[in-house]
Amino acid sequence: MSRRELDAAGITDPLLRAAYTRCRRLNARHGKTYFLATRLLPLERRSAVHALYGFARWADDIVDDLDRHRTPEERDRLLRRLESDLADGLLTRAGREPVVRAVADTAGRYGIDHALFADFLSSMRADLTVTHYPTFADLQGYVHGSAAVIGLQMLPVLGTVTAREEAAPHAAALGVAFQLTNFLRDVGEDLDRGRVYLPGDLLAAHGVDRPLLEWSRRTGRRDRRIRAALMAAEAMTRRVYRTAEPGITMLDPRVRPCIRAAFTLYGGILDAIAEQDYSVLHRRAVVSRRRRAATAAAGVLRVAGARLRARTEDRVARAGASAVERKGQVR
């Protein structure tokens, strides 16, 4: 399938094809929900989405270093090297790292604003030193770079039926909604890395602080205050989803099934969290295979419908043009 995607996108250079293939593998391995939705995109646009995800994943893995093999200084050095490589790559559409070659090529093909990548890397750098966010306003600064910009990077690839500026706030909100969902799902894992992404003021409103979260994580015991705070975080996240949803109809009809599927699947993570009674400190909430399959099947049907409508509109347009041409010949 990756070969067909690359052929459809007009990517012929062997080195570049290998770089995009690397990004696709990163997406398939680490972004299972996102990868499933991406397969509903038109073939020619999938490689660009893999490149954007692959680069984001690569940077995220540097700062997280899940195996704890690297010191903070080593992670900082690797991130600076990536920043330098990307800065050169965006100018030359090249790069030392395969993920940089692919994302630089994608940025060039689709005219993606380079500042969005700078904002993203700024948030990644924050993860090297910042371990909590006292207020939601503080967190918003972080998620702009870590998530909102991803939605904005995607817009030129997906295409819109409205002015891009009109769709942009909704695209940014969708990126943030996905990020907040991950924060809620991964509270325990993030705590193990020394980070708390849920805003401090939201936690404090329910009598929760880091020591209480750490106690619950360590002992496996529940606390009603933690449950209340997690419920509030879920409600906050669902409000962001509601802000994002109107933007789906502003996209190219051919890509809407993909984004609708991602919207549904990520929302399903929130449903799973609630169904498991907000036990995210002790177990990871996942969308069931059955639900994932049903969402994918619905997406396939939407793709088929979109293609049928596009073919019908094309036939009508060609028939109209032929009628006008015949009318002109009669005259």
Side-chain angles (χ1 to χ4, degrees):
M1 181 62 75
S2 60
R3 184 177 300 173
R4 290 180 58 211
E5 291 171 357
L6 293 167
D7 290 344
I11 300 167
T12 58
D13 177 79
L15 194 62
L16 199 52
R17 286 171 73 92
Y20 274 102
T21 299
R22 170 66 172 150
C23 291
R24 187 182 190 277
R25 288 173 182 158
L26 285 170
N27 195 357
R29 184 182 310 129
H30 298 289
K32 291 181 173 59
T33 297
Y34 199 59
F35 182 74
L36 177 62
T38 301
R39 296 190 68 177
L40 298 173
L41 283 174
L43 273 173
E44 70 275 8
R45 303 194 201 183
R46 294 181 196 175
S47 293
V49 174
H50 294 321
L52 292 170
Y53 181 91
F55 176 78
R57 180 78 247 179
W58 191 265
D60 194 55
D61 283 350
I62 288 175
V63 298
D64 278 348
D65 187 25
L66 301 183
D67 296 329
R68 308 263 178 110
H69 289 253
R70 303 185 185 112
T71 66
E73 293 75 20
E74 288 172 327
R75 284 180 284 158
D76 178 71
R77 185 167 61 253
L78 286 172
L79 192 60
R80 289 183 185 279
R81 184 185 301 169
L82 182 64
E83 287 176 313
S84 176
D85 194 13
L86 179 66
D88 292 340
L90 290 173
L91 294 176
T92 63
R93 290 176 70 165
R96 292 187 298 271
E97 291 287 352
V99 294
V100 171
R101 288 195 294 273
V103 83
D105 183 70
T106 289
R109 286 172 184 266
Y110 289 94
I112 299 172
D113 185 355
H114 293 183
L116 297 175
F117 296 100
D119 289 348
F120 170 74
L121 288 170
S122 177
S123 285
M124 292 301 97
R125 180 165 298 285
D127 276 336
L128 296 177
T129 55
V130 180
T131 60
H132 72 288
Y133 293 88
T135 68
F136 183 64
D138 296 319
L139 183 64
Q140 283 180 308
Y142 173 81
V143 298
H144 165 74
S146 67
V149 300
I150 305 298
L152 296 174
Q153 288 170 6
M154 288 278 289
L155 263 190
V157 177
L158 298 176
T160 62
V161 294
T162 64
R164 192 179 298 172
E165 294 75 17
E166 184 181 355
H170 302 288
L174 189 58
V176 172
F178 291 168
Q179 177 86 95
L180 294 178
T181 300
N182 288 340
F183 288 163
L184 189 55
R185 180 195 62 193
D186 299 337
V187 170
E189 294 173 22
D190 288 331
L191 198 61
D192 293 343
R193 299 178 190 124
R195 302 188 197 126
V196 177
Y197 287 107
L198 299 182
D201 53 359
L202 181 149
L203 295 173
H206 298 277
V208 177
D209 56 15
R210 183 190 288 260
L212 182 61
L213 293 174
E214 291 172 340
W215 167 83
S216 180
R217 176 71 168 171
R218 183 177 64 254
T219 64
R221 297 176 64 181
R222 308 284 299 278
D223 187 285
R224 59 178 178 78
R225 293 168 294 178
I226 294 175
R227 184 180 184 278
L230 296 175
M231 287 182 67
E234 179 204 0
M236 174 185 73
T237 303
R238 291 194 186 276
R239 287 194 293 271
V240 182
Y241 274 98
R242 288 194 289 272
T243 298
E245 188 169 16
I248 297 176
T249 58
M250 298 179 186
L251 299 174
D252 180 336
R254 293 175 295 167
V255 307
R256 290 175 197 167
C258 165
I259 305 306
R260 176 63 66 182
F263 183 94
T264 301
L265 288 168
Y266 270 91
I269 295 173
L270 293 180
D271 295 338
I273 289 169
E275 289 163 5
Q276 295 176 10
D277 200 29
Y278 304 93
S279 57
V280 290
L281 280 165
H282 313 121
R283 59 190 294 199
R284 185 182 178 90
V286 296
V287 178
S288 69
R289 290 184 179 178
R290 188 174 186 176
R291 181 166 182 176
R292 285 163 59 89
T295 301
V300 169
L301 290 174
R302 291 193 189 100
V303 168
R307 288 175 179 170
L308 179 60
R309 285 191 296 273
R311 285 196 295 267
T312 301
E313 290 169 1
D314 184 57
R315 283 198 299 268
V316 170
R318 282 190 277 112
S322 297
V324 170
E325 185 179 351
R326 287 195 300 272
K327 187 174 181 180
Q329 291 172 348
V330 169
R331 287 180 180 176

